[in-house]
Amino acid sequence: MQTANLLPLVLVLAVIAYGLAYMRSRAVAAPLGGIRNLKALPFYYAARAALWSAIPALIVLAAWAGFEGKVIQGIVIASLPQDAWPNSPGEASLVLSQISNVAAGKLNADFVPEHIAGAAGLLESLRDQSANFKAILVLLITVLGAAFAWSRVAPHVNARENVERTLRRIFFVCAAVAVLTTVGIVFSVIFETVRFFGRVPVTEFLFGTSWSPQTALRADQVGSDGAFGMIPLFTGTLLISAIALLVAVPVGLLSAIYLSEYASRRMRATVKPLLEMLAGVPTVVYGFFAALTVAPFIRDLAEMIGLEASSQSALAAGLVMGIMIIPFVSSLSDDVINAVPQNLRDGSLALGATQSETMKNVIFPAALPGIIGGILLAASRAIGETMIVVMAAGLAANLTANPLESVTTVTVQIATLLVGDQEFDSAKTLSAFALGMMLFIVTLLLNVIALKIVRKYREQYD
């Protein structure tokens, strides 16, 4: 039985265990004068039965799914003749791929060596045996867990403590998974970054003004060793992000002030959902709009006033990206402004301040920490955007501050470097991890600065 079919069956059995334990708890409580004489409510006895039947089975199922493939592949490789054993992990991957294709019927067994056909038959047999044994073991654990929990339904057993203790452990595991995933991502990026700096000097990467990771075919060609200066990429990233924020912050903040302080309820109920709909538009649609409408318009307008503009420009990408992140600034700022206590408004108005003076001197300073957080969230969204930049700004790594020229960003280059048939341990591919590490550091610094700003200003209004 496949895991996709086994998982719903385990959940169904857990629901059945819940119902049986619930009915047993009611039956046990009846001779004692009702459920008030039980150590816990029937719900907790039923929930404990469901947890005891489902959790062990799910743990076994997850462990089986994690180790099944490796164990079966090891057995299949060991079954090959000694002279056919792969000499490297890459060769082993190719052999296993060929065996899997034969087992799946994608490759005719008559066109492969005999030992490959035999290994394919063994692979198929091991998979069937593993699936059957897994189904039997998981279902047996589920039934035994439900039976044990059902037998433990007794008036003196405090099922509530057991359920709460189990849930606390589940919550801890979930939190630990999130933390360990973050730590794993960071350390994997650091490891690959160190490998990259073993091939390319750190100074060249940090202070180089040329980015050309492609390696030439002949040594006498220009850039045969590649150029890995990150400054053009970060310059393009900051240029496009700055243009986007110049569009999004004034428009988003002023629209939030209008909707929260000046607009009528009917206007607010109409405009706010329409404004937030911008956040639901796919980025590829924004990219099409930027490439087909905004970029040609900017080029034609620049030519009319005597300026030279590229058909793909940072200005086009920044303008459209600014439109895209307006809801981040507007919605968060609106929520923060509405969260300012009403007594601050009433006190300011009672002292004779106008509505605009109240907004400028009372509400805005009180909401500033949240507004800064929304702006930095929008900045992170702009820094991490890829599709709009690819379609509207191009892939050229130009070191320029002219918004009418084509530029590229860090995220675009990361996506470009990891696509294709390039060898994984080459300097070109490893440079993507170095760029990712630098981007991580930059965003971390932004978050630290935002946290300090929030703490500094929040103390005045606690």
Side-chain angles (χ1 to χ4, degrees):
M1 183 179 293
Q2 298 296 327
T3 303
N5 300 326
L6 194 58
L7 182 61
L9 185 56
V10 170
L11 297 179
V12 169
L13 292 176
V15 172
I16 295 175
Y18 178 96
L20 293 176
Y22 187 87
M23 290 187 292
R24 177 171 172 80
S25 64
R26 303 281 296 191
V28 170
L32 302 176
I35 61 175
R36 63 179 179 273
N37 294 315
L38 297 176
K39 278 281 189 179
L41 294 173
F43 163 78
Y44 290 104
Y45 292 100
R48 186 184 63 169
L51 291 174
W52 283 15
S53 62
I55 291 178
L58 293 177
I59 292 175
V60 171
L61 187 60
W64 199 285
F67 294 100
E68 178 184 19
K70 294 293 183 182
V71 173
I72 292 178
Q73 290 176 4
I75 296 174
V76 170
I77 291 294
S79 68
L80 296 174
Q82 189 171 2
D83 57 348
W85 283 0
N87 298 321
S88 65
E91 186 178 349
S93 178
L94 291 175
V95 172
L96 287 171
S97 177
Q98 190 177 22
I99 294 173
S100 298
N101 288 334
V102 174
K106 299 178 180 178
L107 186 61
N108 195 333
D110 297 334
F111 298 99
V112 297
E114 184 178 352
H115 64 272
I116 296 294
L122 177 61
L123 176 63
E124 192 172 0
S125 175
L126 289 175
R127 286 176 175 175
D128 292 338
Q129 295 176 13
S130 174
N132 294 332
F133 188 69
K134 174 179 63 178
I136 294 173
L137 180 61
V138 170
L139 294 179
L140 181 62
I141 291 175
T142 304
V143 173
L144 290 178
F148 179 75
W150 183 84
S151 65
R152 291 279 295 170
V153 176
H156 65 278
V157 177
N158 194 341
R160 181 177 63 84
E161 291 184 357
N162 294 335
V163 171
E164 292 179 350
R165 189 186 308 116
T166 303
L167 291 178
R168 283 196 299 269
R169 291 173 180 173
I170 293 174
F171 297 154
F172 174 78
V173 170
C174 293
V177 168
V179 173
L180 292 177
T181 301
T182 304
V183 172
I185 292 173
V186 172
F187 275 97
S188 64
V189 173
I190 291 175
F191 176 76
E192 299 298 340
T193 302
V194 171
R195 292 181 60 194
F196 170 73
F197 288 139
R199 299 166 182 254
V200 177
V202 179
T203 54
E204 178 185 346
F205 179 75
L206 294 178
F207 305 107
T209 58
S210 178
W211 177 264
S212 180
Q214 287 77 13
T215 302
L217 297 177
R218 300 195 312 271
D220 59 345
Q221 289 179 315
V222 177
S224 59
D225 295 330
F228 297 94
M230 73 170 192
I231 290 181
L233 305 184
F234 276 88
T235 302
T237 302
L238 295 177
L239 179 60
I240 294 178
S241 300
I243 296 172
L245 291 177
L246 287 175
V247 174
V249 172
V251 175
L253 185 56
L254 293 177
S255 63
I257 293 174
Y258 170 74
L259 292 175
S260 60
E261 297 297 322
Y262 297 99
S264 62
R265 291 185 178 181
R266 182 176 181 182
M267 178 66 70
R268 175 182 171 84
T270 303
V271 175
K272 187 174 174 61
L274 293 176
L275 191 62
E276 292 179 346
M277 284 178 60
L278 291 174
V281 178
T283 56
V284 67
V285 177
Y286 283 110
F288 276 122
F289 175 67
L292 301 179
T293 304
V294 179
F297 174 78
I298 292 175
R299 182 192 59 199
D300 297 339
L301 182 62
E303 291 178 353
M304 289 175 58
I305 60 178
L307 297 177
E308 184 178 353
S310 174
S311 58
Q312 292 179 316
S313 63
L315 183 59
L319 291 175
V320 176
M321 193 182 298
I323 295 173
M324 181 189 69
I325 63 176
I326 284 175
F328 291 91
V329 180
S330 175
S331 181
L332 291 175
S333 299
D334 178 63
D335 293 339
V336 171
I337 292 173
N338 285 324
V340 175
Q342 184 63 34
N343 56 9
L344 292 179
R345 295 179 173 86
D346 297 339
S348 176
L349 296 173
L351 291 174
T354 63
Q355 189 173 7
S356 60
E357 290 173 340
T358 300
M359 182 67 217
K360 181 177 65 175
N361 298 322
V362 177
I363 299 175
F364 186 79
L368 185 59
I371 293 174
I372 295 296
I375 293 174
L376 288 175
L377 178 62
S380 300
R381 182 71 178 84
I383 291 173
E385 177 54 38
T386 302
M387 186 58 65
I388 295 176
V389 181
V390 170
M391 302 179 70
L395 300 174
N398 294 327
L399 180 57
T400 178
N402 185 0
L404 298 178
E405 295 184 10
S406 61
V407 296
T408 190
T409 62
V410 174
T411 54
V412 170
Q413 287 299 312
I414 291 174
T416 304
L417 292 169
L418 296 179
V419 173
D421 298 330
Q422 185 75 19
E423 188 177 358
F424 186 78
D425 59 351
S426 65
K428 175 182 176 181
T429 305
L430 294 176
S431 64
F433 295 94
L435 291 174
M437 190 65 202
M438 297 306 300
L439 193 62
F440 173 78
I441 293 173
V442 170
T443 54
L444 180 62
L445 291 176
L446 285 176
N447 290 331
V448 171
I449 294 172
L451 184 61
K452 288 186 176 181
I453 293 174
V454 169
R455 287 179 175 176
K456 179 180 178 180
Y457 287 94
R458 179 176 294 171
E459 294 174 354
Q460 301 178 7
Y461 300 97
D462 281 343

